[in-house]
Amino acid sequence: MIWNNLLQPDLILEGSVLNLTPDIIQKYGLKGLVLDVDETLVPFRVGVASPELQYWVEQIRASTALCLVSNNLSEARIGGIARSLNLPYYLGAAKPSRRKIRAALRAMDLPVHQVGMVGDRLFTDVLAGNRLGMFTILVEPIVHADVAFYSHPVRNFEVWISEILGASITPKKKKIHKS
């Protein structure tokens, strides 16, 4: 694989992970999702799942296996979020390393092509998922209200570098707008 393929998400979802619906998941033939945590599900310094996230998980889990895979090392924080959502989790993943994602795939007992890797970062989530042959979904980060007015310099830098390397952060599949 060349860089532009490794950094290219299969689907770019406008808005947060909360816009990923069961219909969208079914449309792409996905039976499972590996979910990043920080800024994909909750703002970086938040240690609890919002009621909206809890509702979203309940809607998705009815037809889709879910597992959290985080680079974060905080058992108290990531474990607490996972337990509040009643989801299995792996921490200290060191994405784009594939080791913990492979463990999640084994636990789901699903073929890799039926599992989506969902995250807000190109050089961790998308790169790791593409290295495994997963369907990759890039979402906009969820940020704490206190820092919402700041840009995301690391994410913006990743997009810029990705485009220099030949990836187009226009999706291979059509962007999805939640209706």
Side-chain angles (χ1 to χ4, degrees), residues 50-79:
S50 70
E52 295 84 8
L53 179 62
Q54 291 174 347
Y55 178 76
W56 179 83
V57 165
E58 289 307 314
Q59 296 294 344
I60 300 300
R61 93 163 76 236
S63 60
T64 309
L66 300 172
C67 186
L68 307 183
V69 177
S70 177
N71 284 353
N72 197 307
L73 292 170
S74 174
E75 166 61 39
R77 183 169 170 275
I78 302 302

Side-chain angles (χ1 to χ4, degrees), residues 93 119 129 139:
V139 298

Side-chain angles (χ1 to χ4, degrees), residues 8-158:
Q8 180 68 56
D10 292 302
L11 177 65
I12 299 172
L13 194 69
E14 291 191 352
S16 76
V17 70
L18 301 176
N19 289 344
L20 184 58
T21 64
D23 289 341
I24 295 169
I25 294 166
Q26 182 181 18
K27 175 181 178 180
Y28 293 104
L30 302 175
K31 305 282 186 216
L33 296 176
V34 172
L35 302 164
D36 175 51
V37 178
D38 288 324
E39 295 193 340
T40 297
L41 299 180
V42 296
F44 185 68
R45 289 193 167 81
V46 173
V48 295
S50 70
E52 295 84 8
L53 179 62
Q54 291 174 347
Y55 178 76
W56 179 83
V57 165
E58 289 307 314
Q59 296 294 344
I60 300 300
R61 93 163 76 236
S63 60
T64 309
L66 300 172
C67 186
L68 307 183
V69 177
S70 177
N71 284 353
N72 197 307
L73 292 170
S74 174
E75 166 61 39
R77 183 169 170 275
I78 302 302
I81 292 165
R83 285 185 290 278
S84 75
L85 297 169
N86 193 27
L87 292 176
Y89 65 99
Y90 296 86
L91 32 104
K95 292 175 284 179
S97 170
R98 297 166 287 184
R99 187 170 53 93
K100 301 271 176 110
I101 298 171
R102 281 188 183 122
L105 290 167
R106 281 191 300 274
M108 288 181 182
D109 195 27
L110 291 169
V112 69
H113 69 276
Q114 290 183 350
V115 181
M117 177 69 221
V118 182
D120 68 309
R121 301 279 306 277
L122 292 166
F123 278 66
T124 57
D125 309 313
V126 171
L127 180 57
N130 282 340
R131 291 177 68 208
L132 285 165
M134 299 171 78
F135 185 87
T136 52
I137 303 170
L138 183 68
V139 298
E140 293 178 17
I142 295 176
V143 295
H144 194 279
D146 293 345
V147 296
F149 64 91
Y150 294 111
S151 66
H152 288 79
V154 173
R155 190 170 194 263
N156 293 342
F157 181 73
E158 287 180 349

Side-chain angles (χ1 to χ4, degrees), residues 153-165:
V154 173
R155 190 170 194 263
N156 293 342
F157 181 73
E158 287 180 349
V159 169
W160 180 72
I161 291 292
S162 297
E163 289 175 345
I164 287 173
L165 293 171

